[in-house]
Amino acid sequence: GFYAASPSSAYHALLYNDAARKAVLVLFDGEDRVVGSSSIGVEEVRGLRFEPGAKHLVALVSGGTGVRNAPSLFFKIEVPSLEVVWTKPIASPMVGMEKWT
């Protein structure tokens, strides 16, 4: 899984694959209480960070383990609502290698 925190935010987050291989995002407040959680797909998680302003999280998930030519995906997620603002596929040879790791 991946953890993200920012000195500009009262929240911190965890992105992991659950037992069913779903990518699950959990948001915590400053006292480590769960504020919200959301499933963002069945792809393998690859990264999580706050944007510089800490109003959004950016998550990277692979195109799927063993799925040839499936693009990786970036998600921009609003904090604290966990609403997906946008999703963008990444079809770059530079990112392609991470689909198979």
Side-chain angles (χ1 to χ4, degrees):
F2 291 87
Y3 174 79
S6 170
S8 302
S9 178
Y11 302 101
H12 53 117
L14 179 67
L15 179 64
Y16 67 96
N17 286 104
D18 67 8
R21 303 214 26 90
K22 290 182 182 177
V24 178
L25 177 62
V26 183
L27 187 68
F28 302 90
D29 66 13
E31 296 181 11
D32 299 331
R33 293 179 296 219
V34 174
V35 175
S37 66
S38 177
S39 175
I40 61 171
V42 294
E43 295 83 4
E44 187 172 345
V45 301
R46 293 293 184 183
L48 179 69
R49 291 205 178 185
F50 275 95
E51 283 190 327
K55 294 179 181 177
H56 297 94
L57 286 161
V58 178
L60 174 65
V61 296
S62 72
T65 303
V67 179
R68 187 172 295 281
N69 297 323
S72 295
L73 299 171
F74 263 124
F75 288 85
K76 182 175 180 178
I77 302 162
E78 188 174 291
V79 173
S81 69
L82 298 183
E83 290 183 40
V84 174
V85 176
W86 52 253
T87 302
K88 301 286 182 196
I90 303 169
S92 167
M94 297 298 289
V95 180
M97 286 178 52
E98 62 92 13
K99 293 185 284 190
W100 299 99
T101 60

